[in-house]
Amino acid sequence: VAMAATRSVMRAVRVFEFGGPEVLKLQSDVLVPVPKENQVLIKVHACGVNPVETYIRSGTYARKPALPYTPGSDVAGVVESVGEHVTAFKKGDRVFTLETLSGGYAEYAVAAANRVFPLPDKLDFRQGAAIGVPYFTAYRALFQKGCAKAGESVLVHGASGGVGLAACQIARACGLKVLGTAGTEEGMNVILRNGAHQAFNHRDPSYTERIKACTGPGGVDIIIEMLSNVNLDADLQLLSRSGRVMVVGCRGRIEINPRDTMSKESSIIGVSLFLATEEERRECATAVLDGIEAGWLKPVVGLEYPLEKVAKAHEDIICSSGARGKMVLLL
């Protein structure tokens, strides 16, 4: 009992009920979690904000955490302590995570040791917080589910956000022809600096015609789709024979004509990092760490918010006019 009394407290965001951004409550008296065996406690310097976290918070997502909970999975920081049997990390190591057990929107977070990776000195903590979900998702969409091959073409729809830029960098490094769309001039420039051969403004009413002119009659082999409830019908017109649309993001329903898939034997494939096997996650991790080592994996950090402004971050990631990199919370 005496031990419990001395356990330190931290600031953390807590959600007590599902709802809008206002349900994100910053509290300063949350107990710092203690790492159990095969777990690592990280002092968080930065945490990525992903669109999926807004869906979970609203209660509309398929997976609902038990309330109350702390959101956030992509943290970067320094190892504070390790549980039993952890040999890969020690206090003071710079690390990033793919997911946390206690929630990343907090000053400290616990993660399973096999979801923690070394953060090389060439990347800062903000960049470290932009790796996990975006790069693992992009790799899974392109290769594990999309079966991408060098020489094929890929259209990244909504390419200026976290997953989009990750997909551009990975696809370019692996020998694909990369096309990307964004909603602003600035977004298009970011895409071109990060691996896209050509960029298109998806607010331009004739942008699909421009993509067709660029790909020729063959069409595009793979589409990485962040907003399928808006674009899926048009995507099916852009595909090549045996082309595939990888559904990475969706915010509602859409009507399509299944005949469009028959004429090209094309596929619509859902992507969920949550369903990756241990082996698939290891493959993603290897590809990501190799990319950092080789120098082509360079996370682009977009808007930055202090923990106090977390509700604003959740509002902006859904309502902003165009992303420019990965949104992060700074601690």
Side-chain angles (χ1 to χ4, degrees):
V1 177
M3 284 259 312
T6 59
R7 250 181 85 184
S8 49
V9 294
M10 63 174 180
R11 293 187 313 144
V13 173
R14 302 291 281 161
V15 175
F16 294 91
E17 58 179 327
F18 296 113
E22 69 283 352
V23 303
L24 297 160
K25 305 288 187 204
L26 180 58
Q27 303 202 295
S28 53
D29 57 353
V30 179
L31 283 177
V32 173
V34 175
K36 301 188 175 78
E37 63 176 345
N38 299 316
Q39 293 179 357
V40 175
L41 178 67
I42 299 162
K43 183 177 194 332
V44 179
H45 286 253
C47 180
V49 179
N50 295 297
V52 69
E53 287 146 25
T54 70
Y55 312 150
I56 294 170
R57 180 217 70 226
S58 70
T60 58
Y61 198 62
R63 274 189 300 135
K64 285 192 186 60
L67 296 167
Y69 77 99
T70 295
S73 59
D74 294 336
V75 310
V78 174
V79 174
E80 179 71 17
S81 61
V82 298
E84 280 185 279
H85 312 311
V86 175
T87 53
F89 302 101
K90 62 185 186 311
K91 184 177 167 66
D93 286 350
R94 287 162 44 95
V95 293
F96 71 93
T97 65
L98 175 60
E99 60 187 72
T100 69
L101 296 164
S102 58
Y105 297 6
E107 289 178 322
Y108 292 89
V110 156
N114 64 356
R115 299 283 188 277
V116 178
F117 307 96
L119 180 65
D121 289 337
K122 64 170 102 169
L123 299 179
D124 63 29
F125 291 119
R126 293 153 48 246
Q127 291 173 304
I131 299 172
V133 168
Y135 281 88
F136 281 61
T137 300
Y139 183 86
R140 182 168 179 75
L142 282 163
F143 297 104
Q144 293 178 339
K145 294 291 162 191
C147 304
K149 293 179 185 65
E152 287 192 312
S153 57
V154 59
L155 169 65
V156 183
H157 230 148
S160 62
V163 178
L165 287 169
C168 288
Q169 291 177 1
I170 295 171
R172 180 68 182 251
C174 294
L176 282 92
K177 181 181 180 184
V178 186
L179 313 177
T181 78
T184 63
E185 196 64 41
E186 199 182 344
M188 288 165 69
N189 289 331
V190 170
I191 295 170
L192 291 168
R193 285 199 301 273
N194 285 280
H197 292 87
Q198 281 187 273
F200 303 86
N201 189 327
H202 51 222
R203 295 183 197 284
D204 170 355
S206 64
Y207 85 97
T208 53
E209 295 310 313
R210 294 184 182 196
I211 292 172
K212 282 179 184 161
C214 173
T215 59
V220 67
D221 298 308
I222 302 171
I223 297 177
I224 307 289
E225 184 51 75
M226 312 303 167
L227 199 59
S228 44
N229 54 299
V230 172
N231 301 320
L232 188 58
D233 187 48
D235 288 342
L236 295 177
Q237 323 297 321
L238 294 171
L239 286 178
S240 65
R241 188 170 167 183
S242 302
R244 45 264 187 225
V245 180
M246 312 309 301
V247 177
V248 172
C250 182
R251 296 181 189 173
R253 304 176 73 86
I254 183 171
E255 191 171 307
I256 61 165
N257 184 348
R259 178 157 292 171
D260 292 335
T261 64
M262 294 159 62
S263 57
K264 297 172 181 170
E265 293 195 327
S266 57
S267 318
I268 301 166
I269 302 169
V271 179
S272 170
L273 186 56
F274 180 65
L275 295 175
T277 63
E278 196 54 53
E279 195 180 350
E280 287 172 328
R281 258 191 293 258
R282 273 202 298 273
E283 184 195 336
C284 289
T286 305
V288 163
L289 294 169
D290 284 354
I292 296 172
E293 188 65 31
W296 56 256
L297 191 155
K298 289 198 189 83
V300 178
V301 177
L303 296 169
E304 303 173 9
Y305 299 79
L307 207 50
E308 296 76 24
K309 296 273 169 68
V310 63
K312 180 88 174 87
H314 267 224
E315 209 171 295
D316 291 352
I317 200 166
I318 296 301
C319 303
S320 77
S321 62
R324 295 179 308 282
K326 175 76 179 153
M327 183 182 282
V328 296
L329 297 172
L330 297 180
L331 286 95

